């Protein structure tokens, strides 16, 4: 059984929370793209954890976790994340955490370049998380990156490190005028933070291939959502990798395998971190109320998230791009803050109603067309069955299901592992 859990919107839909819940039935959880720009918050009986690089299955004692070749890994950050979880009583061993030898290493100079460029852009900045993600993916495609498997023989990397430093300094030192990158610092960094991770590094594609042959159940976990996909998202305000479920087999190292199921995680309203077109954005008191009710501050960066009502145009597109078979509608409880619930049912571009997610200038110009649905005015976080939800909440779920064009199989009504409803 091969299942992907993927975001339908701009990210922060609650994927980590749903992976934590649904991974119970899986033997393996694989992260297939991205780096420590992700922030998944998981709350369960063992405490509250923020995961940036580690797959969300790490909190389960019986789950094997894989960091796939599609990822970019900041070694220091990973060492620290592992340390934090260990301090919280989570056991992490080479048996329950495997890291692809083909995953790319995100170096300190990538982080520095990310910051230097955002600072250069000033008020035109991209809203990068400044974790080095765009520079490291660029280097991957430039074929000038270090990969996890290189850690097996760090001593042999000295001349490559010098040559990379020389190349980097054409931009870092000569271009931006920053402190030059040094080959010896690259080696020292790989030694210090790479060596402790080495026992986890292996051919994870082979591991997953064999596990699949043995009938193991594998869950593929995405970071961010469809609208941040490098090809299909709101380019250039996207991430630098493919976040969509279609990429999961590639980024996990088993490109020939076909997914049996894609579970789309869709938020009952909208949120978006950083810059870029966000048509359904709400401002003023209404936005403030929603942001506070939903605790909409980034898990990775603490930045206040932009918020809006459910966006039917973007979500329908997200469902299509993810190839979602079923949806989990998250954060329904947050909508209890509204008397009338705003839903963006269409966009208006040059006076025309638009129902299919536009691209480029049309998207930049799009204005939201809002409709308002009946609120329910009470706390629903204790509901565990669909018919325990107030009638207005049931009607909202049905309406969202119709607008998004995909069956809603789960409704999440709180951050806790048990706070969810299975829709029959
Ligand atoms: P991810 O990046 O998709 O994993 O999502 P994040 O963890 O960044 O953001 C989702 C936030 O909402 C986290 O703080 C979760 O604990 C919280 N959360 C998830 N599901 C629910 C829900 O149904 N209700 C409420 N109130 N909070 C939720
Ligand atoms: Mg997040």
């Amino acid at each position: 059984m091969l299942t992907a859990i993927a975001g339908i919107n701009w990210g922060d839909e609650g994927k980590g929370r749903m992976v934590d819940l649904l991974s119970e039935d899986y033997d393996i959880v694989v992260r297939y793209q991205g780096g420590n720009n992700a922030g998944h918050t998981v709350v369960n009986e063992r405490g509250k954890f923020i995961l940036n690089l580690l797959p969300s299955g790490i909190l389960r004692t019986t789950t094997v976790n894989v960091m796939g070749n599609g990822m970019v890994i900041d070694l220091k950050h990973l060492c620290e994340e592992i340390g934090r979880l260990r301090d919280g009583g989570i056991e992490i061993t080479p048996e329950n955490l495997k890291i692809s030898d083909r995953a790319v290493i995100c170096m300190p100079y990538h982080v520095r370049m990310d910051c230097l460029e955002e600072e250069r852009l000033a008020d035109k900045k991209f809203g990068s998380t400044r974790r080095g993600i765009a520079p490291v993916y660029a280097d991957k495609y430039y074929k000038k990156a270090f990969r996890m498997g290189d850690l097996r023989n760090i001593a042999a990397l000295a001349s490559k490190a010098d040559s990379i430093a020389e190349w980097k300094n054409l931009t870092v030192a000569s271009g931006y005028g920053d402190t030059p990158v040094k080959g010896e610092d690259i080696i020292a960094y790989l030694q210090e933070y790479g060596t402790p991770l080495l026992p986890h590094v292996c051919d994870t594609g082979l591991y997953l291939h064999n596990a699949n042959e043995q009938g193991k159940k594998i869950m593929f976990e995405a970071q961010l959502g469809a609208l941040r996909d490098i090809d299909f998202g709101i380019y250039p305000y996207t991430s630098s990798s493919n976040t969509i479920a279609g990429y999961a087999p590639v980024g996990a190292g088993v490109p020939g395998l076909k997914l049996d199921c894609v579970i789309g995680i869709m938020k009952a309203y909208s949120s978006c971190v950083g810059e870029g077109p966000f048509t359904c954005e709400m401002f003023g008191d209404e936005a403030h109320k929603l942001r506070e009710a939903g605790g909409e501050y980034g898990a990775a960066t603490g930045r206040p998230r932009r918020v809006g009502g459910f966006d039917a145009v973007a979500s329908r597109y997200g469902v299509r791009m993810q190839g979602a078979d079923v949806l989990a509608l998250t954060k329904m409880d947050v909508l209890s803050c509204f008397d009338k619930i705003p839903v963006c049912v269409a966009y208006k571009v040059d006076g025309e109603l638009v129902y299919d997610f536009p691209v480029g200038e049309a998207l930049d110009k799009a204005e939201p067309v809002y409709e308002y649905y009946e609120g329910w005015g009470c706390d629903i976080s204790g509901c565990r069955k669909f018919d325990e939800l107030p009638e207005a909440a049931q009607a909202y779920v049905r309406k969202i299901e119709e607008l998004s064009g995909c069956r809603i199989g789960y409704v999440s009504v709180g951050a806790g592992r048990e706070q969810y409803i299975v829709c029959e």
Side-chain angles (χ1 to χ4, degrees), residues 4 42 48 63 66 74 77-78 135 145 154 174 184 189 214 249 254 270 295 307-308 317 330 340 348 353 378 389 412:
V42 179
K48 178 175 175 176
T63 310
V66 173
D74 180 316
H77 192 100
L78 182 56
I154 297 175
S174 309
E184 67 208 56
Y189 177 85
Q214 290 158 17
V254 281
S270 301
V307 292
Y317 177 73
T330 56
K340 294 269 177 203
K348 206 172 232 183
L353 286 177
C378 62
L389 287 172
S412 173

Side-chain angles (χ1 to χ4, degrees), residues 33-53:
Q33 48 77 227
N36 58 318
N37 51 335
H40 294 325
T41 307
V42 179
V43 183
N44 59 29
E45 77 286 353
R46 300 172 84 176
K48 178 175 175 176
F49 302 92
I50 294 181
L51 302 173
N52 301 128
L53 281 162

Side-chain angles (χ1 to χ4, degrees), residues 11-15 37-41 224 299-300 305:
D12 301 324
E13 299 93 345
K15 293 175 295 296
N37 51 335
H40 294 325
T41 307
L224 300 168
R305 295 174 183 149

Side-chain angles (χ1 to χ4, degrees), residues 179-413:
T179 321
V181 178
K182 289 198 202 120
E184 67 208 56
D185 291 347
I186 293 178
I187 297 296
Y189 177 85
L190 296 174
Q191 289 281 11
E192 182 173 0
Y193 298 106
T195 310
L197 297 170
L198 201 49
H200 301 273
V201 176
C202 60
D203 183 346
T204 51
L206 181 61
Y207 169 76
L208 290 173
H209 172 84
N210 291 338
N212 180 59
E213 297 273 290
Q214 290 158 17
K216 300 268 192 227
K217 291 178 151 185
I218 306 173
M219 176 174 277
F220 299 85
E221 177 183 22
Q223 168 223 12
L224 300 168
L227 297 162
R228 300 291 186 190
D229 183 272
I230 181 81
D231 287 292
F232 304 109
I234 50 171
Y235 188 87
Y237 300 99
T238 55
S239 200
S240 301
S241 59
N242 287 107
T243 61
I244 50 165
Y247 183 73
V250 177
V254 281
L257 298 185
K258 294 208 169 40
L259 298 173
D260 297 300
C261 178
V262 176
I263 304 176
I265 314 300
M266 188 170 81
K267 211 155 164 161
Y269 56 93
S270 301
S271 73
C272 168
V273 180
E275 317 299 316
F278 184 49
T279 310
C280 63
E281 184 162 16
M282 299 190 322
F283 302 92
D285 291 348
E286 226 185 3
H288 181 73
K289 193 161 67 174
L290 183 54
R291 185 176 301 114
E292 292 302 311
E296 294 301 342
Y297 295 89
T301 58
R303 291 187 287 184
R305 295 174 183 149
R306 299 157 75 191
V307 292
F310 178 81
D311 184 331
V313 179
S315 299
R316 207 162 36 239
Y317 177 73
V319 163
R320 174 157 65 92
M321 286 302 136
Q322 294 291 13
D325 297 298
V326 60
L327 296 173
L329 188 68
T330 56
K331 304 197 88 161
M332 252 304 266
D333 54 304
V334 174
L335 292 179
S336 298
C337 72
F338 285 121
D339 299 332
K340 294 269 177 203
I341 302 174
V343 171
C344 172
V345 292
Y347 294 172
K348 206 172 232 183
V349 180
D350 294 331
E352 300 275 322
L353 286 177
V354 169
Y355 296 93
D356 291 315
F357 194 68
V359 71
E361 199 198 352
L363 179 61
D364 293 336
K365 290 203 283 202
E367 289 165 28
V369 178
Y370 265 112
E371 275 182 8
Y372 288 82
Y373 300 138
E374 209 53 51
W376 42 88
C378 62
D379 179 11
I380 57 168
S381 62
C383 296
R384 295 292 174 271
K385 293 210 169 74
F386 192 73
D387 55 16
E388 284 171 24
L389 287 172
E391 255 175 46
Q394 294 187 24
Y396 184 79
V397 174
R398 292 301 172 223
K399 187 73 198 171
I400 295 302
E401 187 165 57
E402 185 191 319
L403 288 169
S404 60
C406 185
R407 185 172 80 81
I408 292 174
Y410 308 87
V411 177
S412 173
V413 291

